Amino acid sequence: MMPLHMEYVKPGGLAEAVSLLRQDDACALAGGTDVVVQMREGKLRPRLVVDIKGLAELQGITGQSGGVWVGALVTMAEIVKSPLLQAYRAVVQGAGCMGCCEIRHRATIGGNVGNASPSGDAAVPLLVFHPQVVIHGPGGQRHLPLANFFRGAGKTVLQPGELIKGFLLPPPPAFSLYMRHTRVKGMDLAGVSLAAAIDRQGQVTVSMGAVAPTPTRFPQVEELLSGRPLSWEVIAQAAEVLSAAITPRATSLRATPAYKKEMAKVFLHTALSRALEEGFGQ
Amino acid sequence: MTYQTVGQSVARLDGIEKVTGEAVFVDDISLPGMLHARVLRSQRAHALITGLDVSEAMAQPGVVAVVTGRGLPRRIGACIQDMYPMAVDRVRYVGEPVAVVVAENPHQAHHALASIKVSYQDLAVVTDPWEASRPGAPQIHPDQAVYHRLPGIHPLPGSNIFHRLQVCRGNTADAFREAFLVVENRYWHPSIYHVQLEPHGAIATYHQKGGLTMYASSQAPYVVRHVICELLGLPPGRVRVIVPYVGGGFGGKSDHTIEPLLAWVARHVPGRPVKLVLTREEMACGTVIGRGALVHYRSAVSQDGMLLGVEAEVFLNGGGYGDFAVNIVTAAGISATGPYQVPNIKITAHGVYTNTPPTGACRGYGHPEVHWACERQMDIIAARLGMSPVEIRLKNALGPGKVNAIGQQMESHNGRVDLCIQQVVDALGGPECFLPRTNPCVGSIALEPGGIEADPLPHPTGANASPKAEPSGACAKPAAMPGKVRGKGIAALMKCPIMPTNAQSGAIIKLEEDGGVMVSVGAIEMGQGCHTVLAQIAAEALSLPLERVQVAPQVDTFHSPYEWQTVASHTTWAVGNAIRLAAAQLCDKITRAAAVILQVPAERLEVVGGRVQDRERPERYLTLQQLARGYTDARGTALSAPLIGEGNFVPQGLSHLDPETGQGNIAADWTFACQGAEVEVDTRTGEVTVLRLVSAMDVGKVINPVLAEGQIYGAAVQAMGAAICEGIVFDREGRIRNPSLTDYKVPGVEDMPELQALFVETPEESGPYGARGLGEHGAVCVPPAIANAIQQATGLEFFDLPVTAEKIIRAQQKRGVPA
Ligand SMILES: Cc1cc2nc3c(=O)[nH]c(=O)nc-3n(C[C@H](O)[C@H](O)[C@H](O)COP(=O)(O)OP(=O)(O)OC[C@H]3O[C@@H](n4cnc5c(N)ncnc54)[C@H](O)[C@@H]3O)c2cc1C
């Protein structure tokens, strides 16, 4: 049931949005696929809902110095269709598996990152592309690596009045892949997920979802795998390290810690074999 | 026999209304002055209510009344009167109604709930039916001995067991002593939701002159009326229950759920309608759940695979109140031997109180719970004997002349499970796909009881089960991807409608002035298509084109003929029979009226194609239209009056079960079937893909093939959920951890296998045009068929549902096969 006393405002511009969002108990509303669910469950009780859907500055996918700018309001459906983003395959796969067709037409990338779920299907693959989060707020604009954006489950570095404007993706890697386990093939949240990327210099990046309070990268695994030909021995070793590095909470209904640890190995193995098959990582 | 309308795949009569959104459901109805109710539900699974203060809630804006259980006159229940519509001094599950706020709008009602103060004294909680049945378990109904109950219900005083049914035949002690092989396992089917699309809802007005009118999303308006009459001390003529379209029932809207609660609430605000529509989460804890059964199963088998004896103990979760579960216990007890003849039987089925929401009817009604055990057991036995799972089933199958567990002898019109088995086997590629496993056993062994901890079978031929068994021909399938293995499995079933021996059904057919007819029945159209099928039966019986037949879509206890309830897959059969009787009576009245006008003896007249005509001189006829308008002669004198036919049906010759032996004539008919699955298992992730589900069912005459297939597909997919992904999770305090669809996963369109429904049509003597029930049966055997296919693919044996990716990986790790 929705809160009894709640105001809704759709600001005309970014400056107005920022000043509204500085108010106590204000909350940004993009696609609303998390916000509305959380309000209905009573987990979120905003006094003011600021609908940012109309903000032009937060829209669009454009090429930028070899990389890509992705506005915060870009939806999953737009990501899936975007010619510019096809080179960032993992995030296209993540966006493509989120929710269902209807959800993908409403859910935004800013909302997925802003919601800071441990298993965000856009956030987890996005991490392996080393993006900068562009934040707009009362003090102007600031940039931050996405890896430093999350502060915990549902927690981010955003201060009152601050908004995600969008994401700056550096030039795409040579290879990337995202995979997740769900309990049904139909709509479900990830029980465990993994994204991996290999750039042209052989640098490997690995992130996982639903194994820690936030989407997380694994430097120790990346180091093991980077800058050398991928052999089965190295992959197996990296899989063990990755599996040992995660300590998932025991209370999840979506997957047990034991299963997540096993899938960490299987997913990493699958991703890297796929890379080898496609001619990368030698 | 050739028919005009019966046997045709006519389009559903309610189709356009439903796809355009014009069809009216309870929540679409809004009455002048309507108030809204929200329920404060217990957060404790087992506690005494030590304080309840609603004064602050009363003072909240818009609040008109806050209703509690104080002053409730009596307990209610159809079998055991063990429940109040809301808690009086004690709560027995998380979700039990403690107070209800009635306000001008739903928001006000919702927000006022927070101001109600309840204090509890906690009691020990038990949610597992087996644990709850042990001596020393927390007593959930300490005073159950004094409850009023129907004869034939056997509680165990001083325990949580509210009903115990024994089925005994022959001498199992001897059978087990002489057996070549004894196989013993424990099987668990968790509780599940029905997941109806439409939530439970009702609108009730308590009239200032006394009496009550209720709109309800219910499968059982006459049960609802009865219970409300008892609760409020009103005569049936003063209680009107109206059921518009219902958006899915699956048993979860049978008997009664929220209706007595809302009647009690409406009693406090006379003259104003009160609406209550549950949320998805409230449907989980505030209505009934399904299944929840532990089955301890022992089979004694001869060397050549004949079943010599079965001993089984069933512990069915009744939840906080047992009234709805009594007959599920009976169903489980009498069907625990499946579709097989077993000479020596000792089955005890217990219904056990626990601190979960009450268990109610759920598509299959006791049969899926025991078939999960029985049909897994058959494959395990076959593997132990080195016998084909097909052969062992055919050897033991019931059929004409054989005797079932409760001593009923099968007649030739009762149907053919053997043909169903053969059809499924052929559809899946033939008997070559089910060759014996290569691990015959010698002598008698007993398995570790239950769970995936049980010793898995030695894996015969490496990763893929017996690849040599799939050499060529029809059985060959596209090869599975690397890391993936495929398997096929079957399971057979027998199900009868479980109903009171006097379950009545009525039908009224009115001749309309255009010569068409309006059929009134008490059966609820809840998506299953029964009104279309009943219209076909009426059209056939009256020799009218289907367009001339309407079925009144709303059921209204003021006008509609009596119907026990729309459950037990008995509507086509029972209401169809009532319609045929009504049609016969209408034809009789038509011919008698026409006889006067045409001056021909009534016996010579027949009703054909919208006319009543002289058999010998067909040019002498009247149209039904002429009759229905009130036929007048040349002088203007009326010669016919309104014509209405009525039909009343009750099953013939049923009797109660013997209390000692469980023998008796309780089942009116049986439907036999076999279901088969082909699965692919990813051995690295454990993920199961169900590729195909095939069902062959002896449904007697198929009245409407498309609708019949739809019922079987729907049931099979629903049961596929129970097989691989569904199950309610309770925490130690008895709270449901997955009350919403976020973490209670049902299959989506992406999970759909290739579905196939095949029919064997052995005409049922007691059914209309030879038809028998089929609505639930497709849900009975899918879990064992899938688990049997997984066993063929991986060699892993599973005893607990659902068989998830996690369980497969765990079982593989235990066996030591690298992922
Ligand atoms: C049925 C269903 C299925 C789903 N399935 C999946 C799934 O498979 N995988 C998955 O990852 N998620 C899933 N979700 C969750 C949700 O759809 C995604 O997280 C989505 O990306 C959120 O985007 P949104 O635009 O709807 O965000 P909103 O709900 O509008 O916002 C989410 C949060 O982000 C904040 N926010 C939004 N935009 C900004 C911004 N520009 N700057 C700062 N903060 C912002 C909001 O204040 C809020 O806290 C599902 C949700 C539903 C209802």
Side-chain angles (χ1 to χ4, degrees):
Chain A
M1 196 74 34
M2 292 300 159
L4 262 188
H5 308 290
M6 180 189 87
E7 262 189 90
Y8 167 93
V9 181
K10 189 163 184 185
L14 196 52
E16 189 190 347
V18 166
S19 76
L20 286 167
L21 282 169
R22 289 182 74 174
Q23 298 184 23
D24 288 344
D25 298 326
C27 162
L29 175 86
T33 59
D34 282 316
V35 167
V36 176
V37 172
Q38 289 163 10
M39 289 200 308
R40 180 183 170 275
E41 288 172 349
K43 288 180 188 154
L44 186 68
R45 300 167 190 273
R47 215 182 38 74
L48 173 66
V49 170
V50 183
D51 186 345
I52 60 172
K53 273 195 285 295
L55 301 179
E57 295 89 336
L58 274 58
Q59 315 269 10
I61 304 170
T62 50
Q64 214 162 75
S65 48
V68 177
W69 158 261
V70 185
L73 287 170
V74 166
T75 64
M76 299 304 131
E78 289 175 278
I79 292 175
V80 170
K81 279 185 301 202
S82 161
L84 277 175
L85 286 177
Q86 298 310 305
Y88 302 87
R89 178 168 67 181
V91 80
V92 172
Q93 291 171 322
C97 71
M98 192 183 292
C100 55
C101 179
E102 296 90 326
I103 291 290
R104 288 193 290 274
H105 277 82
R106 273 199 91 79
T108 66
I109 189 160
N112 197 252
V113 170
N115 191 53
S117 150
S119 68
D121 282 315
V124 174
L126 204 54
L127 266 180
V128 299
F129 302 115
H130 311 282
Q132 293 283 315
V133 190
V134 180
I135 297 170
H136 192 91
Q141 201 151 297
R142 62 181 175 123
H143 289 215
L144 187 81
L146 177 61
N148 300 344
F149 179 81
F150 301 113
R151 280 279 169 267
K155 296 199 188 84
T156 72
V157 299
L158 290 183
Q159 298 297 312
E162 284 191 324
L163 267 176
I164 304 173
K165 203 170 158 194
F167 305 89
L168 266 175
L169 275 62
F175 168 89
S176 73
L177 195 77
Y178 178 65
M179 69 198 80
R180 63 174 198 163
H181 166 71
T182 53
R183 294 160 292 185
V184 289
K185 295 176 181 53
M187 190 153 57
D188 194 9
L189 298 171
V192 49
S193 63
L194 177 141
I198 306 177
D199 72 9
R200 287 170 215 288
Q201 286 72 49
Q203 284 294 119
V204 176
T205 311
V206 176
S207 67
M208 287 192 74
V211 296
T214 69
T216 306
R217 275 180 52 190
F218 294 89
Q220 65 279 51
V221 177
E222 295 173 356
E223 230 162 82
L224 249 172
L225 294 165
S226 292
R228 59 161 106 172
L230 294 177
S231 65
W232 295 118
E233 291 71 39
V234 172
I235 293 173
Q237 195 192 342
E240 291 301 332
V241 172
L242 180 63
S243 178
I246 60 173
T247 47
R249 68 193 173 98
T251 50
S252 168
L253 286 171
R254 289 166 207 153
T256 60
Y259 186 75
K260 292 182 187 196
K261 281 174 164 290
E262 186 62 27
M263 286 313 106
K265 291 190 241 175
V266 171
F267 285 1
L268 187 68
H269 192 274
T270 308
L272 298 179
S273 340
R274 194 55 193 281
L276 288 170
E277 262 169 48
E278 293 180 11
F280 305 103
Q282 275 100 351
Chain B
M1 187 68 114
T2 55
Y3 299 112
Q4 286 177 304
T5 313
V6 158
Q8 306 292 319
S9 287
V10 305
R12 341 174 28 121
L13 302 185
D14 53 346
I16 291 177
E17 266 176 284
K18 290 200 173 151
V19 296
T20 57
E22 203 186 300
V24 170
F25 297 84
V26 164
D27 200 21
D28 298 317
I29 299 171
S30 189
L31 299 176
M34 190 167 80
L35 299 169
H36 297 266
R38 305 300 299 162
V39 183
L40 181 77
R41 299 184 178 280
S42 167
Q43 295 306 309
R44 313 299 178 93
H46 197 194
L48 301 176
I49 299 176
T50 52
L52 180 53
D53 179 0
V54 303
S55 50
E56 210 176 296
M58 274 302 299
Q60 297 299 307
V63 171
V64 176
V66 182
V67 180
T68 68
R70 254 175 247 141
L72 270 166
R74 52 179 296 171
R75 290 193 182 87
I76 54 172
C79 296
I80 312 173
Q81 292 185 348
D82 65 354
M83 73 182 86
Y84 290 104
M86 63 194 301
V88 172
D89 52 6
R90 190 179 175 119
V91 290
R92 294 180 172 89
Y93 62 92
V94 174
E96 187 163 359
V98 172
V100 176
V101 176
V102 182
E104 298 290 343
N105 72 46
H107 290 264
Q108 293 166 330
H110 175 78
H111 289 281
L113 292 178
S115 344
I116 299 172
K117 295 186 186 68
V118 197
S119 47
Y120 296 103
Q121 183 191 326
D122 282 321
L123 301 168
V125 172
V126 59
T127 58
D128 178 275
W130 189 80
E131 275 173 34
S133 75
R134 300 296 91 193
Q139 290 302 292
I140 296 166
H141 286 267
D143 43 0
Q144 73 151 316
V146 306
Y147 293 165
H148 181 76
R149 59 175 60 78
L150 294 182
I153 299 172
H154 313 289
L156 212 66
S159 82
N160 287 318
I161 296 168
F162 56 83
H163 177 44
R164 201 172 52 155
L165 175 84
Q166 297 225 27
V167 178
C168 304
R169 286 182 72 73
N171 181 335
T172 52
D174 290 350
F176 278 84
R177 202 170 34 248
E178 288 154 18
F180 170 73
L181 172 69
V182 172
V183 173
E184 176 172 5
N185 286 300
R186 278 167 78 159
Y187 297 88
W188 170 242
H189 194 315
S191 296
I192 59 172
Y193 303 132
H194 309 73
V195 199
Q196 305 94 337
L197 272 183
E198 182 209 18
H200 298 67
I203 305 169
T205 313
Y206 193 86
H207 302 299
Q208 308 195 40
K209 64 170 194 210
L212 181 126
T213 299
M214 179 181 278
Y215 291 86
S217 174
S218 165
Q219 297 173 241
Y222 283 92
V223 176
V224 166
R225 184 182 71 171
H226 174 78
V227 171
I228 291 175
C229 287
E230 296 238 305
L231 177 71
L232 300 181
L234 293 167
R238 282 294 181 88
V239 175
R240 179 178 187 184
V241 179
I242 305 165
V243 179
Y245 281 132
V246 170
F250 311 118
K253 294 175 183 169
S254 64
D255 299 318
H256 52 89
T257 56
I258 61 171
E259 299 89 354
L261 169 69
L262 193 64
W264 173 241
V265 169
R267 174 80 185 78
H268 291 75
V269 285
R272 294 199 68 180
V274 188
K275 182 188 250 188
L276 174 64
V277 176
L278 301 191
T279 62
R280 179 65 55 189
E281 291 83 351
E282 280 183 295
M283 289 166 77
C285 66
T287 65
V288 290
I289 57 178
R291 320 252 193 273
L294 181 96
V295 182
H296 192 137
Y297 209 102
R298 284 182 85 208
S299 314
V301 197
S302 73
Q303 191 162 6
D304 58 354
M306 294 306 293
L307 291 171
L308 304 175
V310 165
E311 288 182 349
E313 282 208 85
V314 181
F315 296 87
L316 180 85
N317 177 35
Y321 299 94
D323 179 44
F324 310 124
V326 167
N327 289 318
I328 309 174
V329 173
T330 301
I334 69 170
S335 59
T337 47
Y340 307 112
Q341 175 166 278
V342 184
N344 303 292
I345 298 173
K346 187 168 169 220
I347 294 159
T348 314
H350 311 78
V352 190
Y353 287 126
T354 68
N355 297 116
T356 76
T359 297
C362 179
R363 204 173 201 169
Y365 204 76
H367 295 75
E369 295 88 328
V370 291
H371 278 77
W372 166 237
C374 168
E375 286 302 283
R376 281 291 297 125
Q377 193 81 348
M378 289 304 268
D379 264 42
I380 293 167
I381 293 167
R384 297 284 182 278
L385 291 175
M387 186 179 272
S388 144
V390 179
E391 189 192 348
I392 193 167
R393 286 183 169 84
L394 289 174
K395 266 193 166 165
N396 291 286
L398 278 169
K402 304 254 172 92
V403 177
N404 72 3
I406 55 174
Q408 294 171 304
Q409 183 166 328
M410 300 289 120
E411 309 289 341
S412 53
H413 72 91
N414 288 135
R416 297 281 300 274
V417 70
D418 54 336
L419 297 182
C420 295
I421 293 171
Q422 277 157 5
Q423 286 207 7
V424 168
V425 168
D426 288 345
L428 285 175
E432 316 86 87
C433 301
F434 299 93
L435 290 185
R437 305 289 305 256
T438 49
N439 52 334
C441 83
V442 271
S444 167
I445 60 159
L447 277 187
E448 283 277 302
I452 59 162
E453 315 318 330
D455 234 17
L457 276 179
H459 202 243
T461 49
N464 203 343
S466 44
K468 286 194 202 78
E470 300 189 21
S472 63
C475 190
K477 271 265 150 194
M481 298 282 290
K484 298 189 175 176
V485 292
R486 289 187 176 190
K488 294 170 183 175
I490 59 165
L493 70 100
M494 170 180 114
K495 185 185 178 304
C496 62
I498 302 291
M499 54 193 181
T501 51
N502 62 348
Q504 308 177 78
S505 296
I508 296 169
I509 307 182
K510 269 194 306 176
L511 187 63
E512 302 283 26
E513 57 196 44
D514 66 346
V517 296
M518 175 62 75
V519 180
S520 296
V521 291
I524 306 298
E525 175 58 69
M526 51 184 164
Q528 84 279 45
C530 75
H531 284 185
T532 303
V533 163
L534 296 175
Q536 285 179 269
I537 291 173
E540 191 68 48
L542 293 164
S543 174
L544 277 176
L546 188 66
E547 311 81 74
R548 286 295 182 84
V549 179
Q550 298 295 321
V551 177
Q554 282 198 342
V555 172
D556 180 335
T557 57
F558 269 17
H559 310 296
S560 309
Y562 183 86
E563 171 58 37
W564 164 50
Q565 37 181 335
T566 305
V567 297
S569 307
H570 89 138
T571 300
T572 299
W573 177 78
V575 185
N577 275 331
I579 286 178
R580 286 190 76 183
L581 293 168
Q585 195 193 69
L586 180 61
C587 287
D588 186 49
K589 289 184 178 175
I590 289 170
T591 50
R592 277 192 282 130
V596 176
I597 299 164
L598 295 172
Q599 305 281 313
V600 175
E603 307 75 63
R604 250 174 59 191
L605 293 171
E606 59 179 356
V607 179
V608 183
R611 295 172 168 190
V612 50
Q613 67 189 27
D614 186 345
R615 263 198 205 89
E616 289 164 20
R617 296 174 55 197
E619 69 278 10
R620 295 182 58 163
Y621 70 90
L622 287 168
T623 64
L624 295 185
Q625 194 176 7
Q626 284 174 300
L627 265 183
R629 290 220 169 124
Y631 188 89
T632 53
D633 65 13
R635 287 171 302 155
T637 307
L639 296 180
S640 71
L643 295 168
I644 299 173
E646 62 170 68
N648 305 292
F649 175 78
V650 74
Q652 297 301 300
L654 298 190
S655 61
H656 292 305
L657 293 175
D658 181 282
E660 303 296 319
T661 65
Q663 303 293 295
N665 196 31
I666 200 180
D669 67 327
W670 302 267
T671 302
F672 290 100
C674 179
Q675 300 189 284
E678 183 179 10
V679 303
E680 183 172 275
V681 181
D682 185 327
T683 55
R684 294 163 309 175
T685 62
E687 265 164 34
V688 175
T689 304
V690 180
L691 302 168
R692 294 180 68 190
L693 286 177
V694 183
S695 306
M697 203 176 283
D698 193 342
V699 303
K701 177 67 190 167
V702 180
I703 307 286
N704 183 322
V706 160
L707 285 175
E709 283 165 14
Q711 282 297 296
I712 291 173
Y713 295 164
V717 168
Q718 200 167 18
M720 181 179 88
I724 61 174
C725 53
E726 293 182 35
I728 303 175
V729 182
F730 295 96
D731 71 12
R732 244 188 247 129
E733 280 80 47
R735 283 183 297 254
I736 294 180
R737 293 195 59 209
N738 52 353
S740 82
L741 299 182
T742 308
D743 280 312
Y744 185 88
K745 299 319 297 182
V746 295
V749 67
E750 299 85 346
D751 298 276
M752 286 309 113
E754 185 187 324
L755 291 162
Q756 201 177 350
L758 304 163
F759 297 109
V760 176
E761 298 191 61
T762 309
E764 167 61 44
E765 261 179 16
S766 68
Y769 302 105
R772 61 173 79 85
L774 62 83
E776 299 168 87
H777 305 73
V780 172
C781 255
V782 167
I786 288 177
N788 290 343
I790 292 173
Q791 177 172 335
Q792 199 199 60
T794 64
L796 300 170
E797 292 185 337
F798 291 95
F799 305 89
D800 288 2
L801 288 172
V803 183
T804 59
E806 291 244 359
K807 286 183 187 164
I808 288 177
I809 292 297
R810 217 183 306 151
Q812 267 182 182
Q813 285 172 339
K814 195 154 192 279
R815 188 178 59 189
V817 169

